[in-house]
Amino acid sequence: MKKAILLLNMGGPNNLDEVKLFLKNMFNDKRIIGAPKLIRKLIAFIIIKSRLKEATNNYRQLGGKSPIIAYTEKLVELLNIQLDADVFYVMRYTPPFAKDVLPSLKDYDKIFAIPLYPHYSTTTTASSYDDLFLEAKKLNLENRIQTIHKYYSNKNYNEAIVQRIKEALGTKNPKEYELVFSAHGLTQKIIDSGDVYQKHIKQNVYYARKELAKQGINFHKTHLAYQSRVGPMQWIKPYLEDKLASLELKKVIIYPIAFTIDNSETEFELDVEYKELAQELGFEEYIVAKSLNTLMGNVIKDLYKQMGT
């Protein structure tokens, strides 16, 4: 039996010319902005016009592209060596799109779709599946695709989170540090409409804290906060900037719990913009832990096994 694994993620610009495409595709997604199509297009146009210059400059500082691409390619390369399935990746808002990858999977008997989002949200998992199955139906592949919707409680996943936190901590005493789990925010309106993302994030923090305790790693305090807020609407709280301002100790480790692969929101927003805020707030140390990246290999292998291989 010929098997394929398809890793799904949001994506990011492969070059500076793709920044506009990334923003255009994201803000025209009905799962992101739930307005009628014409109104959504107008809102997207306004957002792109206001954010394009700044976003392009941010990616320029990251080397002219999103780091998500190289990290994902390394993960795929690793898994292709270790598994009895061929591994591919699909991005939602930048190439390679589902329409680019699926035609090459027509000869496969089973396709295991695994989102690189551990927590289910209509804005991430559902959006990626919308696009994947739209294209799969055109090729009569939809019945060969097996899906998974969440895995934040997975043992390998939470052990990998703690490994990254330990790497960030090094030989330092955890009791001298606060640990903040930083998750990508969503508008309160999306949560109020029934999206389970915030519930899953909170449960993930519970499992990660449990694993920290199991390994005898005791921080002064651990916290949850949300980043990436834009626009005038109310977003889920507490906001990361407010959480940083409220911490008792001026030594902090940030773990980007909403992400499995490093991207502009970890390597620029957290590691540059929030770092500047922390310095303004008088922090002695501000450390951002790496996302799982290639450590996702063990998680993917476990999920692949669970999905019925």
Side-chain angles (χ1 to χ4, degrees):
M1 181 178 286
K2 200 174 180 184
K3 296 178 285 189
I5 294 174
L6 205 50
L7 305 180
L8 310 177
N9 210 340
M10 184 178 292
N14 293 274
N15 52 62
L16 293 180
D17 292 335
E18 282 188 0
V19 176
K20 187 174 183 179
L21 174 71
F22 177 63
L23 296 175
K24 181 181 177 182
N25 286 339
M26 180 186 294
F27 293 112
N28 274 286
D29 184 350
K30 64 183 179 182
R31 294 287 194 176
I32 301 293
I33 297 176
K37 189 173 181 179
L38 287 176
I39 297 174
R40 186 166 66 248
K41 286 185 75 173
L42 176 61
I43 294 170
F45 174 79
I46 293 168
I47 293 172
I48 293 165
K49 191 173 181 181
S50 66
R51 294 187 64 182
L52 181 59
K53 186 176 179 181
E54 181 184 357
T56 302
N57 184 54
N58 293 350
Y59 284 110
R60 186 176 287 113
Q61 292 183 60
L62 287 169
K65 61 183 178 180
S66 172
I68 199 171
I69 309 302
Y71 288 123
T72 303
E73 288 175 346
K74 285 181 183 176
L75 175 60
V76 168
E77 184 181 347
L78 174 72
L79 289 169
N80 269 317
I81 295 168
Q82 298 177 342
L83 292 174
D84 65 344
D86 294 325
V87 185
F88 304 83
Y89 71 96
V90 163
M91 298 302 193
R92 182 66 180 91
Y93 303 124
T94 53
F97 299 114
K99 66 180 181 181
D100 303 322
V101 177
L102 283 177
S104 63
L105 302 186
K106 287 190 286 186
D107 294 334
Y108 285 82
D109 303 295
K110 270 193 173 185
I111 301 167
F112 298 89
I114 301 178
L116 292 174
Y117 322 113
H119 323 93
Y120 182 87
S121 174
T122 54
T123 61
T124 53
T125 317
S127 178
S128 285
Y129 281 151
D130 285 348
D131 184 52
L132 179 65
F133 280 95
L134 178 68
E135 298 303 325
K137 285 175 183 176
K138 295 176 185 177
L139 300 166
N140 294 316
L141 289 175
E142 69 271 24
N143 293 328
R144 300 184 212 174
I145 299 174
Q146 190 168 336
T147 61
I148 187 170
H149 287 78
K150 63 183 187 299
Y151 50 89
Y152 59 83
S153 62
N154 180 275
K155 182 175 180 288
N156 288 353
Y157 168 66
N158 283 286
E159 286 177 352
I161 287 175
V162 172
Q163 182 175 332
R164 286 298 193 216
I165 292 170
K166 285 163 68 177
E167 289 169 2
L169 185 64
T171 58
K172 303 176 182 74
N173 183 354
K175 291 182 180 179
E176 295 177 3
Y177 288 79
E178 309 247 21
L179 173 66
V180 178
F181 292 102
S182 182
H184 193 289
L186 281 182
T187 62
Q188 189 63 49
K189 182 179 179 181
I190 290 174
I191 297 300
D192 290 344
S193 70
D195 195 294
V196 295
Y197 171 77
Q198 187 178 28
K199 179 182 177 182
H200 287 184
I201 289 288
K202 288 179 177 179
Q203 289 174 338
N204 194 169
V205 170
Y206 165 79
Y207 286 111
R209 282 173 170 156
K210 195 173 178 181
E211 184 60 34
L212 284 166
K214 180 182 173 184
Q215 296 192 31
I217 304 166
N218 300 302
F219 285 88
H220 176 71
K221 283 184 181 176
T222 60
H223 311 265
L224 169 61
Y226 298 92
Q227 65 183 89
S228 308
R229 176 169 54 108
V230 294
M233 295 182 71
Q234 183 178 334
W235 287 54
I236 50 179
K237 295 179 179 180
Y239 304 141
L240 181 54
E241 56 268 35
D242 295 337
K243 179 59 68 176
L244 287 172
S246 73
L247 297 184
E248 295 173 14
L249 303 185
K250 294 299 180 183
K251 292 182 179 182
V252 66
I253 290 176
I254 308 289
Y255 182 78
I257 198 163
F259 304 104
T260 55
I261 307 293
D262 276 313
N263 56 78
S264 64
E265 284 156 314
T266 60
E267 294 200 349
F268 187 81
E269 186 181 354
L270 284 181
D271 215 15
V272 176
E273 294 181 324
Y274 278 104
K275 189 172 191 175
E276 290 173 358
L277 173 62
Q279 289 169 345
E280 290 170 13
L281 291 169
F283 274 75
E284 297 173 48
E285 286 191 69
Y286 172 90
I287 301 166
V288 179
K290 297 293 288 180
S291 293
L292 300 191
N293 299 324
T294 52
L295 290 186
M296 272 300 291
N298 286 335
V299 183
I300 299 299
K301 284 186 279 184
D302 193 39
L303 297 175
Y304 173 54
K305 184 179 178 182
Q306 289 176 28
M307 290 171 82
T309 60

